[in-house]
């Protein structure tokens, strides 16, 4: 490892990687969302078929992944702001990351029922 390297495979590096990956995933979702919404002007039948596809259990799991990406990206973004603008932020960046992870896990646990309820009923019946 070269001298002066900030990230050495520890928490800071992995949060940086996860922040970039979640940002790209969110961008991809927004791109697809704009395209599928534009379908309504081109072919209402194709739009209806696409919406029917979105009601499948597989897509519900993907929606849960989207919620995970958005929540992590938002919470980690607040952590990055704290590290950058709080004078003691860099000193506490590891604790801030573990706080973000704890909040993220609690919020993701709370999102299971609202996001995956339809998929569970579809797979296992009501």
């Amino acid at each position: 490892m070269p001298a002066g390297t900030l990230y050495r495979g520890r928490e800071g590096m992995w949060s940086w990687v996860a922040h970039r990956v979640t940002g790209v995933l969110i961008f991809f979702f927004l791109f697809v969302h704009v395209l599928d919404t534009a379908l309504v002007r081109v072919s209402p039948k194709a739009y209806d078929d696409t919406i029917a596809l979105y009601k499948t259990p597989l897509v519900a799991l993907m929606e849960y992944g989207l919620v995970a990406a958005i929540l992590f990206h938002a919470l980690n973004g607040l952590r990055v702001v704290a590290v950058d603008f709080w004078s003691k932020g860099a000193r506490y960046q590891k604790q801030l990351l573990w706080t973000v992870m704890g909040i993220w896990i609690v919020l993701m646990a709370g999102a299971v029922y609202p996001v995956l309820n339809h998929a569970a009923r579809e797979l296992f019946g009501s």
Side-chain angles (χ1 to χ4, degrees):
M1 190 75 44
T5 300
L6 183 60
Y7 297 122
R8 295 183 175 96
R10 305 221 17 138
E11 296 88 354
M13 183 195 75
W14 290 113
S15 68
W16 180 86
V17 169
H19 197 75
R20 284 359 180 237
V21 168
T22 56
V24 169
L25 290 173
I26 294 165
F27 174 79
F28 178 72
F29 163 76
L30 291 173
F31 181 72
V32 170
H33 179 63
V34 168
L35 288 178
D36 70 20
T37 303
L39 265 178
V40 77
R41 305 267 301 152
V42 177
S43 171
K45 171 76 171 107
Y47 176 78
D48 290 340
D49 293 343
T50 302
I51 296 303
L53 175 71
Y54 288 168
K55 295 178 182 179
T56 63
L58 177 63
V59 175
L61 284 173
M62 292 169 62
E63 286 176 348
Y64 189 70
L66 176 64
V67 170
I70 291 170
L71 278 176
F72 177 80
H73 195 80
L75 293 170
N76 193 54
L78 292 174
R79 184 191 72 85
V80 168
V81 168
V83 169
D84 286 348
F85 293 108
W86 181 33
S87 61
K88 297 178 184 178
R91 185 177 319 147
Y92 294 110
Q93 71 91 16
K94 187 186 297 189
Q95 291 89 339
L96 289 170
L97 175 62
W98 289 115
T99 302
V100 162
M101 293 305 296
I103 294 169
W104 180 77
I105 288 169
V106 168
L107 292 174
M108 288 307 298
V112 169
Y113 181 78
V115 177
L116 296 178
N117 180 37
H118 175 73
R121 282 188 287 138
E122 185 85 18
L123 288 172
F124 305 115
S126 20

